[in-house]
Amino acid sequence: MDIAKEVFVAVGLDRNGKAVFKHKMKRGEVLATFRKLQPMAIGIEACAGSHYWARELAALGHDVKLIAAQHTRAFVTGNKNDTNDAAAIAEARSRSSTKYVPINTPAQQDLQMLHRARSALMSERIAMINRIRAFAGEYGRVFAAGVAKFKVGLLAWLADPDNGLSGLALATFRELKEQLDDKEQRILTYERKLNQAAKSEVAQKLMEVPGVGPLTATAVMASVADPHHFRSGRDFAANLGLVPREHSSGGKQRLYGITGKGDSHLRTLLIHGARSALRCAGNKTDSQLRWASNLAHRRNFNVAAVGLANKMARVIWAILAHGRSYVPVWSNSMTRPA
């Protein structure tokens, strides 16, 4: 089924892959139409609103799967239209090798909305700071790098009676400062809500892993409904794009940088958490941190951080899939970096 804002198109295939019906319906007719049908396998392209419709159709007894857009494009025949898109989704749904997207629960969507809202505000805050820096540069004022130093410098400059600003310019800068303060307060509000969500038992177990804090733990909870959707920790890491991109041929293996596929927000949090854990590794006896520290000495810091993020993803999957707690292990056979 190809979903949209108002017009939905469903294409049905029989066991031989032959189209047996094509039906166009409006948004309000979808549930009524499928309520009359016998339970069937339904495929929907993962997009805005797809998780809602997957839950609603599953409640009617249908076997609903979400398919990533890149896995349906290869099955589109002819020109692009809603009917051909629905037929391509149906074809992909009939293949046993198709990989599916986990269906989020309403609680997961709540957490995801908090994360996305906070992430958007963080981007807007950076844009606002850069805007103020650019305006100030036109008046001959340059602030030190870093948000904290910028805020101190801006306050001191606006409070200085000899800053050389006109009344209009001073009022505009103060308004921009108020907008910046408002964004920071909203960010803190979202972070308090996420910290509250991080008090759950699952989040507390996840935060035992070095480099995993409240933001990463709640992001994992929001993204992973069923850890058994992935066959192993490696599959989970690959789903997040933390494995090398491969382009091999003729028996010659070629590996490049990470694929960068999957949830970019969670991948970013894991890599930033790995950077923080790696900087604080010091003389800690955790074998995972020692491995990453040795790798940083052999290669470079960024390679080690991404490698550690990959291991963190695998550990997170094991904790979720098997209900385990993180236990740091030290191996005497491991060599300490010089």
Side-chain angles (χ1 to χ4, degrees):
M1 183 170 66
D2 182 65
I3 65 175
K5 187 175 182 180
E6 293 296 339
V7 179
F8 292 47
V9 176
V11 173
L13 305 182
D14 60 15
R15 295 183 181 275
N16 297 321
K18 182 180 179 180
V20 293
F21 75 84
K22 297 178 181 179
H23 187 57
K24 182 180 290 187
M25 60 199 122
K26 293 185 178 180
R27 184 182 187 89
E29 302 171 345
V30 174
L31 295 180
T33 300
F34 280 92
R35 189 176 288 113
K36 301 174 184 177
L37 301 176
Q38 295 294 324
M40 62 179 67
I42 299 177
I44 301 175
E45 193 172 82
C47 59
S50 59
H51 293 274
Y52 166 78
W53 287 111
R55 291 195 302 268
E56 293 295 319
L57 293 173
L60 298 178
H62 299 289
D63 179 19
V64 188
K65 301 290 186 182
L66 299 183
I67 307 173
Q70 63 264 30
H71 297 319
T72 63
R73 293 194 191 103
F75 299 102
V76 176
T77 57
N79 296 321
K80 175 177 172 54
N81 55 55
D82 292 343
T83 303
N84 287 344
D85 287 347
I89 296 170
E91 183 66 28
R93 178 67 175 87
S94 67
R95 301 298 180 96
S96 61
S97 59
T98 300
K99 295 183 178 180
Y100 301 111
V101 177
I103 300 174
N104 289 341
T105 64
Q108 284 183 291
Q109 288 190 209
D110 293 345
L111 279 178
Q112 279 193 345
M113 183 166 59
L114 283 176
H115 274 278
R116 297 301 185 267
R118 176 188 174 276
S119 181
L121 280 172
M122 293 288 287
S123 299
E124 292 172 9
R125 184 184 72 159
I126 293 173
M128 180 62 69
I129 290 174
N130 290 338
R131 188 174 302 122
I132 296 174
R133 284 181 183 276
F135 290 155
E138 297 296 331
Y139 291 90
R141 180 69 185 217
V142 177
F143 300 105
V147 175
K149 292 181 179 179
F150 164 79
K151 290 167 65 177
V152 171
L154 179 63
L155 284 174
W157 185 47
L158 296 181
D160 185 3
D162 299 324
N163 53 27
L165 296 174
S166 65
L168 178 60
L170 184 60
T172 303
F173 274 114
R174 285 175 175 168
E175 289 175 2
L176 293 173
K177 177 63 170 57
E178 290 177 1
Q179 294 180 38
L180 178 61
D181 291 341
D182 178 67
K183 294 183 187 301
E184 292 189 334
Q185 288 300 317
R186 292 177 182 272
I187 291 172
L188 290 175
T189 299
Y190 288 132
E191 288 180 350
R192 282 194 292 268
K193 293 179 180 179
L194 290 171
N195 288 334
Q196 185 65 31
K199 293 181 179 180
S200 67
E201 182 181 356
V202 175
Q204 291 298 315
K205 283 187 176 182
L206 293 177
M207 287 192 289
E208 294 174 359
V209 181
V212 176
L215 286 178
T216 306
T218 52
V220 169
M221 292 168 58
S223 299
V224 185
D226 179 15
H228 297 287
H229 176 83
F230 307 98
R231 293 178 298 178
S232 64
R234 188 193 181 283
D235 277 4
F236 179 54
N239 180 263
L240 295 177
L242 289 170
V243 295
R245 179 173 59 87
E246 184 175 10
H247 189 79
S248 302
S249 179
K252 185 177 178 66
Q253 188 179 44
R254 295 181 178 87
L255 299 178
Y256 301 92
I258 60 174
T259 63
K261 296 180 179 179
D263 190 339
S264 60
H265 178 66
L266 180 53
R267 181 175 62 252
T268 300
L269 289 176
L270 284 171
I271 293 176
H272 284 333
R275 292 177 187 276
S276 177
L278 192 54
R279 289 193 184 97
C280 302
N283 294 321
K284 293 183 178 179
T285 58
D286 189 320
S287 60
Q288 186 166 278
L289 293 179
R290 301 313 312 158
W291 172 85
S293 183
N294 288 333
L295 180 61
H297 280 75
R298 295 196 312 270
R299 299 290 299 277
N300 62 63
F301 186 87
N302 289 333
V303 169
V306 174
L308 181 57
N310 182 296
K311 284 186 175 290
M312 289 166 56
R314 298 186 185 210
V315 171
I316 287 171
W317 178 85
I319 291 173
L320 295 175
H322 305 296
R324 301 174 183 173
S325 296
Y326 179 74
V327 179
V329 178
W330 166 251
S331 173
N332 292 327
S333 64
M334 296 182 65
T335 57
R336 294 177 180 270

